[in-house]
Amino acid sequence: MNQASIHKYLATESKKTIANDVEALFEQRLATNLTLIKDLFFSLYPEKDHKKSFVKLLRTLPILFEQRPSPLKLLDIQRINEGNWYQSEQLVGMQLYVDHFNKDLKGLEKKLGYFEKLGVNFIHLMPITPRPQGENDGGYAVNSYYEVDPRFGSTEDLLDLTQKMRDKNMYLMLDFVANHTSNEYVWAEKAMAGDPKYQNYYHIYPDRTLPDEFEKTLPEIFPMTSPGNFTFNTEMKKWVMTVFNQYQWDLNYSNPEVFIEMLGNLIKLANLGVDVVRLDALAFMWKKLGTVSQNLPEAHALISLFRMCLQIIAPGVIFLAEAIVAPKEIIKYFGSGTMKGNECEIAYNATLMALLWDAIATKKAVLLYKNIHSLPEKPKETTWINYIRCHDDIGLGFEDHHIHEIGWNAKSHRKFLLDYYCQKIDWSPAKGHMFMYNPKTGDGRITGSAASLLGLEKALEQENQSKIEQAIAKIIMMHGIILSYGGVPLIYAGDEIGALNDYSYLEDHDKKEDSRWVNRPHQDWDTIAQIDAQKNHHSQIFYSLQHLIRLRKQHPAFADRNNIILYEAHNPHYLIYERPMGKNNGVLVVCNFDEVPQAIYENTLGSYGSKSNPTDLISGEKITFPNGTLRLMPYQMLWLGKTK
């Protein structure tokens, strides 16, 4: 039982009126979490030095609670009573840039009906807060944590949007860039002006002595565009830690004042009507000499401390871990040991994402099986965000030993994947681009829209109808997997109509060096306006995904209860997994990753064989097994249900 479960129990047991519950339940949550908060705080900030800071935190919590709007306090209680609402099969998400989607927040509000038509009810807006002019890492260089950049509208526009979304039972996710601010943020400006208080809010050093020591173990995140991890600031004549980009200053969380102030920023963001807070770059939040300063135990303690405080003030708001790290490290962001289930409620399933792209390139699911089998089970109170791509690049974060165990060479295999997707192999249908290739290590990442990576762009150029159909089948199958796997599916805006690479970024001085913009297209509303009238690849993809989303919501087996069972296919081209529920309400997902038809024996499907009279939920057709086998066409996917 995690802390959220305890809060639900206490809320259920409360006999007070609703009017009194709000204040009483705050006191209950504070009392319930206080010991954990104390232990976490003093594990990071030794009591002998930071007792006053702890007292300040305790005085801050009720102040922040009072600032939370009354309607959101009532929603918090509703969410507590609902329990793990974020594990529901009813949730389907979409990620987008507001200005690329429909100009601004008012424009987005006008398109809520489009989300409803597709079946989307969970929206992740890329950063809408103020940022520097010019380069700003797509808004992840933060000038404010809770204001709205005028290019997107106003705070009032955001509040109107979140109210209308709540009226429609839709959920909003926004980013909290916890690791760093921009060099224009008010703290950075005060630091540059010479204020020692704010210089201690960052990792700032008078000479290269400590930076050089850090550099011995710190990796380079963007070796081509931002080599090294420190930047010399001419105003201070000092060195600033800038792990990501020169204009992004890393916060110094070893200073408890930074934590307390950032908690205030977090609550102000949540008070705008945010349901899920995406903790950006959280793996980097704690720095320690002699380490890579990623995934440190102190970072996990810090995240848990944020969550325990947020749970007291705004328990209806949850955390998503933006931790694109090794599979064994991702699981830790749900919490481990005494804090199991008490860190982030949701995490990106980056492992599944990368392995799906591996399976497409190799036409085999063997590496996917190897990795998934090795992952420990996540806490029951948590869930995944499942996606085939996002605004970012596609990394190849598999563990080498898994590649070796199936008889492949890890270095050669990664090179093959980069070549396959980045137009280095003539026969590959993919039209992707390389991102941040490091010639020293051979490591690189992949950019491109889902449709272009899956062959649609090249097939359209060649006017090859069979290849077009094959690319469409891949797009539908990939999305069908994230819609049926355990967790919240997240579709990138444009992928639902097969958007291709957008090369316009090459004409923008501030974007042309960042190939990730190729997979951040503007929403094509002209095409969408014709989606009902024209039968083409756009409409085929849209209505196929709409159909799958509708089916997902009709089958409670797709809710995440840690109910996923991998089946051994005995055919390397197949991926098979079950979402069990009761005797006859489960669903078996069967996928063929090969470009030619493939067959498997009926007994591979367990209880979903002929005796259960299975039906493909997608097509509505009964499944037959000629000669005791099941045959799937290239990139075909079945969702099998038993006939009751």
Side-chain angles (χ1 to χ4, degrees):
M1 178 180 281
N2 67 350
Q3 293 301 105
S5 301
I6 295 173
H7 296 317
K8 180 181 179 182
Y9 172 78
L10 293 173
T12 302
E13 290 296 302
S14 176
K15 304 299 182 183
K16 296 178 169 47
T17 65
I18 288 294
N20 292 330
D21 269 356
V22 172
E23 302 298 330
L25 292 177
F26 166 76
E27 297 294 340
Q28 281 186 341
R29 295 192 300 270
L30 178 59
T32 305
N33 282 15
L34 186 56
T35 299
L36 280 176
I37 289 173
K38 175 183 71 69
D39 291 344
L40 288 165
F41 190 90
F42 288 136
S43 74
L44 296 169
Y45 313 112
E47 184 173 0
K48 63 183 179 64
D49 300 319
H50 298 292
K51 192 173 182 179
K52 288 183 178 179
S53 293
F54 181 65
V55 172
K56 180 179 179 179
L57 173 61
L58 294 185
R59 290 173 177 167
T60 300
L61 294 175
I63 294 171
L64 294 176
F65 176 71
E66 287 302 315
Q67 294 172 358
R68 187 150 173 81
S70 295
L72 297 182
K73 289 179 180 178
L74 294 175
L75 182 61
D76 288 334
I77 295 176
Q78 178 185 325
R79 294 271 171 81
I80 290 173
N81 290 328
E82 287 175 4
N84 302 334
W85 54 269
Y86 46 87
Q87 295 179 321
S88 171
E89 77 283 357
Q90 299 298 315
L91 286 180
V92 178
M94 179 171 281
Q95 181 190 35
L96 57 92
Y97 283 89
V98 171
D99 52 338
H100 284 207
F101 190 73
N102 197 30
K103 188 178 179 182
D104 55 21
L105 290 170
K106 285 186 177 296
L108 175 66
E109 184 182 316
K110 292 176 182 177
K111 297 298 184 181
L112 291 181
Y114 175 71
F115 297 116
E116 291 179 303
K117 180 177 181 178
L118 181 61
V120 164
N121 54 9
F122 175 97
I123 304 172
H124 174 206
L125 305 184
M126 298 302 292
I128 57 173
T129 50
R131 74 288 308 273
Q133 295 295 319
E135 291 186 47
N136 54 58
D137 193 22
Y140 286 98
V142 180
N143 283 1
S144 170
Y145 282 95
Y146 50 86
E147 295 175 316
V148 175
D149 191 299
R151 76 185 75 182
F152 304 116
S154 65
T155 301
E156 289 71 26
D157 294 336
L158 179 58
L159 291 171
D160 286 344
L161 174 66
T162 56
Q163 179 60 60
K164 285 184 171 59
M165 289 181 67
R166 286 195 296 277
D167 292 343
K168 292 175 176 290
N169 294 316
M170 301 175 81
Y171 300 83
L172 177 66
M173 179 163 73
L174 291 182
D175 285 86
F176 185 64
V177 185
N179 178 70
H180 49 261
T181 73
S182 80
N183 58 354
E184 294 180 4
Y185 190 67
V186 60
W187 299 344
E189 290 182 341
K190 289 181 178 181
M192 284 187 280
D195 190 328
K197 173 184 175 180
Y198 291 99
Q199 288 186 359
N200 196 34
Y201 275 33
Y202 300 95
H203 298 271
I204 296 176
Y205 304 98
D207 54 43
R208 285 291 309 188
T209 304
L210 283 175
D212 286 343
E213 287 299 310
F214 270 110
E215 292 286 18
K216 290 178 180 178
T217 54
L218 290 180
E220 293 179 312
I221 305 303
F222 298 137
M224 302 302 293
T225 59
S226 187
N229 291 276
F230 291 86
T231 299
F232 184 73
N233 182 265
T234 55
E235 292 186 49
M236 294 185 295
K237 294 183 171 52
K238 294 181 179 181
W239 292 88
V240 184
M241 181 177 280
T242 54
V243 167
F244 286 90
N245 290 290
Q246 295 182 357
Y247 49 83
Q248 291 166 303
W249 288 18
D250 288 64
L251 288 165
N252 177 17
Y253 277 104
S254 65
N255 178 354
E257 294 299 310
V258 172
F259 168 76
I260 295 171
E261 292 225 39
M262 287 297 284
L263 177 63
N265 285 331
L266 171 64
I267 299 304
K268 288 175 182 176
L269 177 67
N271 287 349
L272 296 173
V274 178
D275 303 292
V276 182
V277 172
R278 178 183 180 272
L279 282 179
D280 180 67
L282 75 175
F284 298 81
M285 288 167 65
W286 197 272
K287 310 300 193 294
K288 182 187 285 188
L289 274 173
T291 73
V292 296
S293 293
Q294 294 181 37
N295 307 307
L296 295 178
E298 293 88 346
H300 288 284
L302 181 63
I303 298 161
S304 290
L305 182 57
F306 268 117
R307 181 180 174 191
M308 292 299 98
C309 292
L310 178 65
Q311 212 170 63
I312 291 170
I313 301 162
V317 180
I318 61 174
F319 279 154
L320 165 68
E322 191 269 329
I324 312 304
V325 295
K328 65 182 180 182
E329 296 293 340
I330 292 176
I331 289 288
K332 295 178 183 178
Y333 286 93
F334 292 128
S336 55
T338 58
M339 295 307 294
K340 184 177 181 179
N342 284 314
E343 198 165 325
C344 293
E345 290 90 341
I346 316 179
Y348 282 113
N349 199 346
T351 302
L352 178 67
M353 180 273 298
L355 290 166
L356 288 176
W357 290 107
D358 180 271
I360 287 289
T362 62
K363 305 178 182 64
K364 296 177 180 178
V366 287
L367 188 58
L368 193 156
Y369 271 94
K370 175 65 71 172
N371 277 266
I372 293 177
H373 275 310
S374 70
L375 275 179
E377 188 173 80
K378 63 180 177 57
K380 65 180 182 180
E381 303 88 359
T382 64
T383 196
W384 296 109
I385 286 278
N386 293 316
Y387 61 114
I388 63 173
R389 75 171 191 89
C390 62
H391 72 289
D392 227 333
D393 52 89
I394 297 171
L396 306 177
F398 328 118
E399 297 189 41
D400 285 358
H401 70 91
H402 287 141
I403 302 175
H404 294 147
E405 285 169 7
I406 60 177
W408 299 345
N409 178 276
K411 186 175 181 179
S412 298
H413 185 59
R414 285 195 174 86
K415 182 180 185 303
F416 161 72
L417 293 175
L418 292 174
D419 289 347
Y420 177 91
Y421 284 112
C422 300
Q423 304 180 66
K424 302 288 186 181
I425 298 176
D426 291 340
W427 55 262
S428 169
K431 286 200 72 172
H433 297 264
M434 190 80 74
F435 180 68
M436 288 296 159
Y437 180 71
N438 188 338
K440 300 176 188 175
T441 62
D443 292 333
R445 290 169 261 174
I446 301 158
T447 61
S449 76
S452 292
L453 290 173
L454 292 171
L456 184 58
E457 182 175 348
K458 185 175 283 190
L460 289 169
E461 290 172 351
Q462 296 171 347
E463 299 181 347
N464 187 317
Q465 189 59 37
S466 65
K467 289 184 178 180
I468 290 172
E469 292 301 320
Q470 194 169 90
I472 292 171
K474 291 181 194 177
I475 293 168
I476 294 168
M477 183 184 72
M478 290 280 274
H479 282 94
I481 292 171
I482 66 168
L483 284 162
S484 57
Y485 207 81
V488 180
L490 189 69
I491 301 167
Y492 193 84
D495 286 354
E496 81 282 6
I497 57 169
L500 305 179
N501 286 343
D502 181 358
Y503 300 104
S504 64
Y505 81 99
L506 294 170
E507 300 168 10
D508 188 326
H509 174 76
D510 296 324
K511 296 177 179 178
K512 65 181 181 180
E513 300 300 325
D514 187 345
S515 66
R516 291 175 298 179
W517 287 104
V518 78
N519 51 245
R520 300 166 180 174
H522 287 75
Q523 194 76 342
D524 187 349
W525 291 109
D526 290 338
T527 293
I528 292 170
Q530 300 296 316
I531 208 84
D532 293 328
Q534 296 183 0
K535 291 187 177 181
N536 52 28
H537 65 274
H538 300 296
S539 59
Q540 187 175 347
I541 293 167
F542 180 89
Y543 284 109
S544 294
L545 297 193
Q546 181 195 64
H547 178 55
L548 292 175
I549 290 169
R550 187 180 295 120
L551 286 173
R552 168 187 166 84
K553 293 182 179 182
Q554 291 172 354
H555 290 83
F558 290 130
D560 187 6
R561 303 178 184 86
N562 276 3
N563 58 328
I564 186 162
I565 301 172
L566 276 179
Y567 281 39
E568 292 297 338
H570 306 295
N571 180 324
H573 305 289
Y574 270 80
L575 169 65
I576 306 175
Y577 55 90
E578 182 186 7
R579 303 302 309 281
M581 186 178 181
K583 184 178 180 181
N584 291 314
N585 294 315
V587 179
L588 188 73
V589 179
V590 186
C591 305
N592 175 18
F593 275 90
D594 203 2
E595 62 186 0
V596 299
Q598 289 287 338
I600 53 172
Y601 290 110
E602 175 187 353
N603 59 14
T604 303
L605 306 181
S607 62
Y608 289 81
S610 55
K611 289 184 179 179
S612 68
N613 298 312
T615 298
D616 175 26
L617 302 177
I618 299 172
S619 66
E621 296 177 356
K622 293 286 185 180
I623 299 299
T624 59
F625 301 90
N627 300 317
T629 63
L630 176 67
R631 186 172 182 264
L632 263 63
M633 299 305 291
Y635 306 107
Q636 186 181 0
M637 174 183 61
L638 303 177
W639 288 2
L640 298 184
K642 300 175 182 178
T643 301
K644 299 175 185 178

